[in-house]
Amino acid sequence: MIDRFLKALAKWYNKKCSTCNTSHIEVIIKSNNEKTSCLECRNQIIFGKILLKKIMFFMKMNIDDISNLSSDNKVMPLINSLFRGIGKYGLKAIKIGTPLYVVFDITAKCNLKCIHCYSTTYHEELKLNDVYHIIDNLYEGGAGMIDFGGGEPLLRDDIFDILSYSKSVGLYTSISTNGILLDEDCIKRLKTLKIDHVCISLDGAKPETHDYIRNKNGTYEKTINGIKKCANAGINTQVSTVFMNSNIDQLEDLFNLLNLLKIDGWYVYDFIPAGRGNELKNEILNSIQRQQLFERLQNFAASGNMSINPYPYSITINSACGKDTYFYKKYGRLTEFFKGCLTARWTCHVSSNGDIHPCYLLPHKLGNLKQQTFQDIWFNKSNIVLKELRDRKQLKGDCGMCRYRDVCGGCRARAFYSTGDYFESDNCWIKN
């Protein structure tokens, strides 16, 4: 009975206004901070708020937790997709999760050979119609945000057709690139497409550092030029950085540089030795370095104009932060709902041949989206990998004993590449 009620309610929240084409859930959430001029939408707010509070209580969340984030352009597509998933799958969409965020590596071709790259297996590219089919399938499966990567996605001749199709379906659409191919024509086409954001990799504040990690001289200057062009064109410009022993000393210099470049956001990762990076065990940050990195990022985030997204630290916010700290105030209650590590629950990875994996760093194949539907793969009770990754009771070591186990879960990819077992502890600095 509860399941049917939730499905019907979620479908209502996903309905769009016939006047302004805004979903009911978006109008209601944003009504806390801004008023709508649409009469049809105003009529939905009072009724919708009362019921939404009940749903939020069931999810152990508060409507204010998401209202305060509604100005972030990534948040509403994810909320819409969550309610779309609940409308289709009911309680399963909450207990198991749906792929709110998908990394789709659209090609294995690349113009660089980065020393830390997780993508080292060559797959023959999907044909355009197969890509469209997979995008449709992911949307129907509950996806809200899709990031096209590679390889280097701009090497595909049809990449703009793919991005345009993804946007037309209704997905928040971004592209991750090394920035080398971001010339004037490319920028203009991305702007015309209204790409939701472009994420450009920058792994050093000094040319020699970035070029060393990217394994090619001259890439730093081209990458910086790409960032400037995107930002100057008014495109939402994000930068991603992987920190390792070779560049951790440039953290503050990078932060200052990105502020000068006036980017919109910074995705920060610490190195996990997947793929080609498996040979670089000496580059892995130790637990003290990781703690210091997280604490400094928190100070940067509180003082800067750009949004800072610390991965995989975003899964440990509940255990790593006091409740009066910046990241907890911004994300804490959300991580309690999503329960930390998103792998095999709220995120997945699709390779250039259609294979689907729990996340982009875990090589375990779950199925292939050319041959199976997403729903058949994701809700397959006999899939051992999915069953295991969703069961926190099987975690070992410090993660298994940690009082934050069920709201964190550690990083399963870090555990896998450190020990060969994704159940093991992930070398976290939090000790209980």
Side-chain angles (χ1 to χ4, degrees), residues 254-268:
L254 265 167
F255 173 70
N256 292 332
L257 172 62
L258 297 181
N259 266 327
L260 287 173
L261 293 171
K262 297 181 179 179
I263 66 161
D264 298 284
W266 191 17
Y267 288 92
V268 179

Side-chain angles (χ1 to χ4, degrees), residues 150-167:
E152 172 49 57
L154 291 174
L155 287 174
R156 274 196 71 133
D157 294 336
D158 54 6
I159 186 60
F160 298 105
D161 295 321
I162 292 169
L163 297 174
S164 177
Y165 188 80
S166 177
K167 286 283 295 178

Side-chain angles (χ1 to χ4, degrees), residues 43 250 340:
N43 290 335
Q250 295 174 36

Side-chain angles (χ1 to χ4, degrees), residues 95-96 339 341-345 358 362 364-366 377-396 399-400 405-406 408-413 415-416 420-424:
K95 292 179 179 178
I96 294 176
K339 300 190 182 301
C341 183
L342 306 179
T343 296
R345 298 168 59 250
L362 283 175
H364 305 75
K365 180 180 174 180
L366 305 175
I377 296 171
W378 201 248
F379 296 109
N380 181 357
K381 293 181 180 179
S382 63
N383 189 301
I384 299 300
V385 173
L386 287 174
K387 186 176 180 180
E388 290 181 342
L389 287 171
R390 291 167 180 166
D391 185 2
R392 297 282 169 81
K393 294 177 183 177
Q394 297 197 51
L395 296 183
K396 303 174 184 177
C399 283
R405 180 190 69 185
D406 294 326
C408 172
C411 176
R412 295 303 94 214
F416 176 74
D421 183 351
Y422 51 54
F423 287 135
E424 280 292 351

Side-chain angles (χ1 to χ4, degrees), residues 311-330:
Y311 291 100
Y313 304 114
S314 55
I315 67 177
T316 63
I317 281 168
N318 295 84
S319 51
C321 296
K323 297 204 173 184
D324 61 343
T325 54
Y326 178 85
F327 281 140
Y328 186 88
K329 285 180 178 178
K330 189 168 184 180

